[in-house]
């Protein structure tokens, strides 16, 4: 037997905070050594943080990374343990995303990333060059101060693996695993048994299964040990890196870390018999045949043993059942952990949320309540960093610290119901009930006097006073009256967030939380600079469908029972007067349902459909319920309002990224914001297709002996 103990980790790094990052790296190495590991893998670009973005273009960032690496190497951190550190490296005039592989205070080699992530949220080609010399390793001249400190002048650089006395080890960096021909394929044929994947992978609802299948597939048919390390937390932007460090052996997961956590460091360890890898490979005839005619990959010889011989006191890690969270749990824990990181790193003293009693703002409140529960739970588990942060943010004194989530929420969470003459007693009561269940400091404010003052000022200036549509006003008047209410709420929210801590003799300021969902952003069903305008928004990339599922789950599992009643209520903005014969409803206002919006969003973004392609797809999807003409009307209606309102995405509040069809304009969904909203060419093509389909249907009906009038008289919405 060749026994080897390996360690990988989740690290909560913070872009450009080198002190924080170095501290977490050292802690992970210490824990790996304590566990007896001889290999330690950290996340991609762990020294700088993954999300430095254009800071990668600064020489300071690269220089500071070398300074931190030097500190790790001149100390005893790499003694008797192979460590992989992620950092940017400049070779010649090119900047590379690298894994620096170190052992016993020396750099063994620098592995440059060959396939860069450059879609969705990723822009690595903006900052890095892909390493293209896959057939060789080159000499890299170390910076002079590093060279002097390590007594090394050059190290191998590029693509290759490390050949130890008893095994072979190689790095595969994040995106490379998901390419059509991943490096581990030929590395396995060259005898590599241990693969180290340093990653910077963000959370997206229902995404973890795809990642886990890739790890399993990498070793299921070709054998091997696959180690995966990831960031975990908010490193300064919209993404939440969702950890889940794991170790896979011959297609079986033998160790798995948490997906969501407010810990700064989590180390995952496994004891493995490498002879099991050799045995599996020897039993697969096709592997043997392909290995015999493999393409040679360069290697670095390391005269060092990593393995231990057979020992009964060293038990092997056994296969585990993979742990997955439900989407409801992902919505609770992902944004909850993201909010905690943002709160503790921003210097704020808490959150303020305009709480309407509707599904969206109540979802945000529930997530903050979940965050408070996570903090109290982690403190009870003995996490001193979480405890220290909570004491500072909650302004505890005399040795006190949070022991009850509701008491903690009372210290850090304000909720405000900003009612008007258009608000119902039901939503006011729901907001108050939920605030009591969570423990927030709740305020009930009427904005009618402020609205009236604005309207009086407008009347003084123009001589006219607008009316709601139900009272005989025009659409323009109706919209203007709704917008002034919404924008007053935004101004009041920021005022309260900045001054309420002062009123209650607390230090700092409060962060305003937004609560618009991804479907409203896609349709533009929000007022520019209303309560959707905030400091951050934990649900801005989550669909209404998923939020309703979350509310039902949270009512039971988080103990906020009022959320069940909130979920059951029809969505309404309550910006128009309630009459006996009229009540404002979101889906009526939008001219489409939230379910339809999710379909439009996925077709537009995930399947890259323009108006014509969307029409064709929906003719198949909805053809049994709607006529082509009705499908066309729906598609045109969506694209009209999507394009009219696209400008709102340029100022939308920074939101937690959770959904693959997010319309967020900053980096994920890059499109113009000034459209010809009539889409003349595209809509004309749709009309032509509708005519062609109608003619074809008429011909088919006539040939079957069915009257055209009768064929068209059936209710196309039946069962919709």
């Amino acid at each position: 037997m060749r026994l080897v103990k390996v360690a990988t980790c989740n690290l909560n790094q913070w872009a450009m905070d080198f002190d924080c990052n170095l501290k977490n790296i050292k802690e992970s190495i210490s824990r790996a050594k304590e566990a007896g590991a001889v290999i330690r893998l950290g996340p991609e670009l762990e020294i700088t943080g993954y999300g430095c973005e254009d800071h990668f273009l600064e020489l300071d960032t690269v220089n500071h990374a070398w300074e931190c690496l030097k500190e790790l190497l001149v100390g005893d951190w790499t003694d008797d343990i192979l460590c992989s550190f992620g950092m940017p490296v400049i070779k010649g005039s090119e900047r590379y995303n690298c894994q620096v592989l170190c052992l016993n205070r020396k750099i063994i080699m620098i592995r440059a990333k060959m396939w860069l992530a450059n879609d969705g949220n990723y822009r690595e080609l903006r900052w890095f060059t892909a390493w293209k010399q896959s057939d060789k390793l080159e000499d890299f001249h170390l910076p002079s101060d590093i060279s002097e400190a390590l007594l090394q002048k050059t190290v191998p650089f590029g693509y290759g693996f490390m050949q130890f006395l008893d095994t072979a080890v190689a790095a595969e960096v994040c995106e490379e695993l998901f390419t059509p021909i991943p490096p581990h394929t030929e590395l396995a044929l060259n005898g590599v048994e241990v693969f180290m994947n340093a990653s910077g992978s963000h959370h997206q609802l229902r995404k973890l299964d795809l990642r886990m299948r890739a790890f399993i597939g990498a070793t299921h048919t070709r054998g091997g040990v696959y180690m995966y390390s990831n960031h975990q937390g908010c490193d300064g932007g919209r993404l939440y890196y969702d950890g889940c460090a794991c170790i896979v052996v011959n297609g079986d997961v033998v160790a798995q870390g948490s997906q969501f956590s407010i810990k700064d460091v989590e180390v995952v360890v496994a004891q493995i018999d490498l002879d099991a890898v050799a045995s599996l490979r020897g039993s697969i005839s096709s592997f043997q045949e392909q290995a015999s005619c493999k393409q040679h990959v360069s290697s670095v010889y390391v005269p060092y043993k990593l393995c231990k011989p057979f020992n009964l006191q060293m038990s092997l890690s056994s296969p585990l059942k993979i742990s997955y969270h439900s989407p409801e749990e992902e919505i609770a824990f992902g944004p909850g952990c993201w909010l905690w990181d943002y709160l503790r790193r921003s210097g704020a003293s808490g959150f303020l949320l305009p709480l309407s009693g509707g599904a969206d703002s109540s979802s945000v409140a529930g997530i903050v309540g979940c965050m408070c529960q996570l903090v109290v739970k982690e403190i009870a588990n003995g996490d001193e960093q979480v405890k220290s942060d909570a004491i500072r943010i909650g302004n505890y004194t005399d040795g006190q610290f949070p022991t009850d989530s509701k008491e903690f929420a009372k210290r850090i969470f304000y909720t405000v119901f900003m009612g008007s003459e258009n608000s119902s007693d039901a939503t006011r009561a729901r907001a108050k009930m939920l605030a009591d269940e969570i423990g927030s400091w709740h305020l009930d404010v009427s904005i009618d006097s402020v609205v009236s003052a604005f309207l009086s000022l407008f009347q003084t200036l123009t001589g006219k006073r607008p009316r709601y549509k139900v009272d005989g006003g025009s659409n323009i008047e109706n919209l203007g009256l709704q917008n002034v209410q919404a924008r007053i709420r935004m101004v009041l929210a920021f005022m309260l967030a900045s001054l309420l801590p002062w009123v209650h003799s607390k230090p700092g300021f409060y962060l305003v939380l937004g609560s618009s969902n991804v479907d409203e952003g896609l349709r533009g069903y929000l007022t520019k600079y209303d309560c959707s305008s905030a400091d951050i928004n934990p649900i801005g990339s989550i669909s209404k469908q998923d939020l309703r599922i979350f509310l039902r789950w949270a009512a039971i599992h988080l103990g906020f029972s009022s959320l069940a009643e909130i979920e059951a209520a029809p969505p309404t903005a309550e910006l128009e007067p309630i009459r006996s014969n009229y009540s404002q409803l979101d889906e009526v206002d939008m001219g489409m349902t939230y379910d339809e919006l999710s379909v439009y969003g996925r077709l537009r973004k995930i399947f890259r459909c323009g108006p014509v392609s969307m029409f064709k797809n929906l003719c198949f999807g909805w053809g049994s319920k709607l006529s082509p003409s009705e499908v066309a009307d729906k598609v045109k209606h969506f694209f009209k309002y999507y394009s009219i309102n696209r400008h709102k995405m340029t100022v939308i509040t920074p939101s937690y990224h959770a959904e693959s069809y997010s319309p967020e304009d900053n980096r994920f969904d890059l499109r113009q914001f000034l459209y010809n909203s009539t889409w003349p060419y595209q809509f004309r093509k749709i009309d032509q297709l509708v005519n062609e389909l109608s003619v074809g249907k008429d011909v088919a009906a006539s040939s079957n002996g069915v009257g055209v009038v009768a064929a068209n008289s059936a209710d196309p919405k039946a069962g919709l």
Side-chain angles (χ1 to χ4, degrees):
M1 300 184 80
R2 291 177 295 143
L3 302 180
V4 62
K5 183 171 282 190
V6 299
T8 183
C9 57
N10 298 326
L11 297 186
N12 194 338
Q13 306 298 76
W14 190 4
M16 300 302 292
D17 189 337
F18 293 91
D19 287 339
C20 165
N21 298 344
L22 194 57
K23 175 186 175 185
N24 290 344
I25 291 169
K26 290 178 177 178
E27 177 64 23
S28 69
I29 297 173
S30 294
R31 294 189 192 179
K33 285 186 172 183
E34 288 171 8
V38 294
I39 300 177
R40 175 269 179 198
L41 171 65
E44 183 177 13
L45 295 167
E46 62 181 315
I47 292 178
T48 57
Y50 184 83
C52 297
E53 299 186 319
D54 280 2
H55 285 296
F56 284 126
L57 304 178
E58 301 165 5
L59 290 178
D60 277 1
T61 304
V62 180
N63 292 337
H64 296 332
W66 278 113
E67 290 161 2
C68 292
L69 181 66
K70 177 182 174 181
E71 184 172 334
L72 291 167
L73 288 171
V74 298
D76 62 357
W77 300 102
T78 62
D79 289 359
D80 301 318
I81 186 168
L82 172 65
C83 290
S84 179
F85 301 117
M87 60 178 276
V89 175
I90 295 176
K91 183 180 187 298
S93 58
E94 305 95 44
R95 185 185 302 101
Y96 294 98
N97 177 348
C98 296
Q99 290 301 119
V100 183
L101 301 151
C102 308
L103 173 67
N104 290 330
R105 311 190 188 198
K106 300 291 184 183
I107 299 175
I108 297 175
M109 67 174 289
I110 298 176
R111 164 69 155 85
K113 190 172 182 179
M114 297 188 297
W115 307 109
L116 301 178
N118 206 59
D119 51 21
N121 285 294
Y122 297 104
R123 295 287 181 274
E124 289 186 15
L125 278 171
R126 181 181 173 97
W127 310 300
F128 301 109
T129 299
W131 179 254
K132 301 176 180 69
Q133 310 301 320
S134 60
D135 58 341
K136 61 180 179 179
L137 288 165
E138 297 182 356
D139 285 339
F140 174 78
H141 291 270
L142 293 171
S144 58
D145 58 331
I146 305 296
S147 176
E148 293 171 5
L150 305 183
L151 300 178
Q152 279 184 284
K153 291 184 178 181
T154 62
V155 296
F157 185 102
Y159 170 60
F161 64 92
M162 296 166 288
Q163 181 64 63
F164 289 84
L165 294 173
D166 47 9
T167 188
V169 181
E172 183 170 69
V173 190
C174 196
E175 177 73 8
E176 294 176 346
L177 168 64
F178 303 98
T179 57
I181 306 176
H184 68 255
T185 302
E186 63 177 358
L187 288 168
L189 296 175
N190 275 266
V192 173
E193 294 179 311
V194 180
F195 304 94
M196 302 187 294
N197 187 310
S199 183
S201 187
H202 68 272
H203 172 238
Q204 193 165 284
L205 289 173
R206 305 173 179 89
K207 173 186 172 184
L208 181 60
D209 179 56
L210 299 176
R211 199 187 299 164
M212 297 302 294
R213 288 208 305 264
F215 305 150
I216 292 169
T219 61
H220 179 70
T221 58
R222 59 184 66 89
V225 177
Y226 206 93
M227 302 169 61
Y228 172 79
S229 176
N230 195 14
H231 296 265
Q232 187 174 61
C234 166
D235 81 338
R238 293 165 173 80
L239 304 182
Y240 178 83
Y241 298 93
D242 60 337
C244 205
C246 61
I247 301 166
V248 179
V249 180
N250 291 349
D252 291 321
V253 177
V254 298
Q256 180 183 359
S258 65
Q259 186 178 11
F260 307 108
S261 174
I262 56 175
K263 298 176 181 177
D264 281 344
V265 178
E266 180 180 5
V267 175
V268 177
V269 179
Q271 179 93 13
I272 296 151
D273 175 19
L274 292 181
D275 277 354
V277 175
S279 176
L280 176 62
R281 290 177 175 177
S283 70
I284 303 172
S285 176
S286 59
F287 184 93
Q288 298 288 300
E289 290 298 317
Q290 291 187 356
S292 69
C293 58
K294 61 184 176 291
Q295 182 176 342
H296 177 74
V297 177
S298 300
S299 63
V300 178
Y301 176 66
V302 186
Y304 186 85
K305 287 187 176 181
L306 292 175
C307 301
K308 298 287 194 321
F310 172 73
N311 187 336
L312 280 177
Q313 295 180 336
M314 300 170 66
S315 59
L316 295 177
S317 299
S318 302
L320 305 172
K321 181 181 179 181
I322 302 174
S323 175
Y324 291 111
H325 288 286
S326 67
E328 305 93 289
E329 292 172 326
E330 291 184 78
I331 292 171
F333 302 138
C337 293
W338 182 76
L339 284 177
W340 176 246
D341 277 344
Y342 202 103
L343 177 62
R344 70 191 182 107
R345 288 172 169 171
S346 67
S349 302
F351 296 119
L352 182 136
L353 171 68
L355 181 60
S356 69
D360 294 334
S361 61
S362 297
S363 294
V364 174
I367 290 168
V368 176
C370 177
M371 181 202 80
C372 293
Q373 293 177 5
L374 290 173
V375 169
V376 170
K377 179 180 178 181
E378 209 56 55
I379 291 174
N381 289 338
D383 193 304
E384 290 299 320
Q385 183 61 57
V386 175
K387 181 178 178 180
S388 173
D389 289 332
I391 290 172
R392 173 180 55 82
I393 295 167
N395 199 30
Y396 288 90
T397 58
D398 301 325
Q400 295 181 320
F401 57 87
T403 56
D404 177 78
S405 62
K406 291 182 68 173
E407 186 276 333
F408 185 51
K410 181 73 74 174
R411 288 174 174 263
I412 67 154
F413 189 30
Y414 282 114
T415 51
V416 188
F417 180 83
M418 302 184 193
S420 73
E421 61 183 0
N422 302 321
S423 303
S424 67
D425 292 336
T427 53
R428 174 179 277 105
R430 292 185 201 119
K432 177 67 167 64
M433 188 182 306
L434 178 58
D436 289 342
E437 290 172 348
I438 293 172
S440 67
W441 191 292
H442 188 66
L443 300 173
D444 190 326
V445 181
S446 173
I447 64 169
D448 287 333
S449 61
V450 186
V451 174
S452 179
F454 269 93
L455 295 179
S456 296
L457 175 61
F458 180 83
Q459 187 172 14
T460 301
L461 290 171
T462 66
K464 292 188 175 183
R465 193 176 186 92
R467 295 177 297 168
Y468 290 102
K469 192 173 182 178
V470 295
D471 296 327
S474 64
N475 285 331
I476 293 175
E477 293 171 79
N478 198 58
L479 185 60
L481 288 170
Q482 293 181 72
N483 286 346
V484 72
Q485 295 172 70
R487 288 172 175 145
I488 284 169
R489 287 177 172 134
M490 185 271 289
V491 173
L492 181 57
F494 276 97
M495 179 181 176
L496 292 172
S498 62
L499 291 177
L500 279 177
W502 165 71
V503 170
H504 292 144
S505 301
K506 294 181 179 179
F509 60 95
Y510 276 39
L511 294 165
V512 178
L513 296 178
S515 57
S516 59
N517 62 61
V518 69
D519 298 320
E520 291 170 348
L522 178 66
R523 163 63 171 74
Y525 186 63
L526 51 93
T527 301
K528 202 173 187 179
Y529 306 118
D530 68 347
C531 277
S532 65
S533 297
D535 290 308
I536 50 175
N537 180 359
I539 66 165
S541 184
I542 303 175
S543 72
K544 192 75 158 190
Q545 292 171 307
D546 283 334
L547 288 175
R548 296 187 70 170
I549 296 171
F550 163 73
L551 289 172
R552 293 194 292 268
W553 175 88
I556 299 170
H557 295 89
L558 297 181
F560 309 143
S561 58
S562 63
L563 291 177
E565 181 182 344
I566 291 168
E567 186 277 330
T572 173
E574 291 195 335
L575 292 170
E576 296 182 66
I578 300 172
R579 298 286 189 264
S580 59
N581 62 344
Y582 178 77
S583 180
Q584 185 180 24
L585 296 173
D586 288 358
E587 293 183 333
V588 175
D589 273 0
M590 292 190 297
M592 60 192 74
T593 67
Y594 282 108
D595 288 351
E596 289 172 342
L597 260 175
S598 288
V599 173
Y600 300 145
R602 286 181 167 85
L603 286 173
R604 183 196 70 99
K605 179 66 177 178
I606 301 173
F607 296 98
R608 299 164 294 282
C609 288
V612 177
S613 294
M614 185 179 293
F615 167 75
K616 291 177 179 178
N617 276 274
L618 290 178
C619 280
F620 286 110
W622 293 350
S624 63
K625 302 173 183 178
L626 298 173
S627 69
S629 177
E630 288 173 311
V631 172
D633 288 342
K634 285 181 174 291
V635 170
K636 291 177 183 178
H637 186 72
F638 164 71
F639 273 100
K640 173 185 175 181
Y641 284 98
Y642 156 75
S643 54
I644 287 173
N645 291 304
R646 178 65 190 185
H647 66 95
K648 296 177 182 178
M649 292 300 96
T650 65
V651 296
I652 200 72
T653 296
S655 301
Y656 179 99
H657 179 85
E659 183 56 77
S660 56
Y661 71 91
S662 170
E664 183 266 306
D665 183 71
N666 178 264
R667 77 181 75 187
F668 184 70
D669 190 47
L670 305 181
R671 302 169 194 251
Q672 72 210 65
F673 53 87
L674 177 61
Y675 283 90
N676 183 341
S677 60
T678 64
W679 299 80
Y681 186 89
Q682 294 91 332
F683 287 3
R684 191 164 62 248
K685 293 289 288 185
I686 291 175
D687 290 339
Q688 291 172 3
L689 289 169
V690 170
N691 290 333
E692 292 170 8
L693 291 169
S694 297
V695 170
K697 182 178 180 181
D698 292 345
V699 171
S702 298
S703 65
N704 290 328
V706 180
V708 174
V709 174
N712 290 338
S713 64
D715 180 10
K717 292 187 178 181
L720 180 64

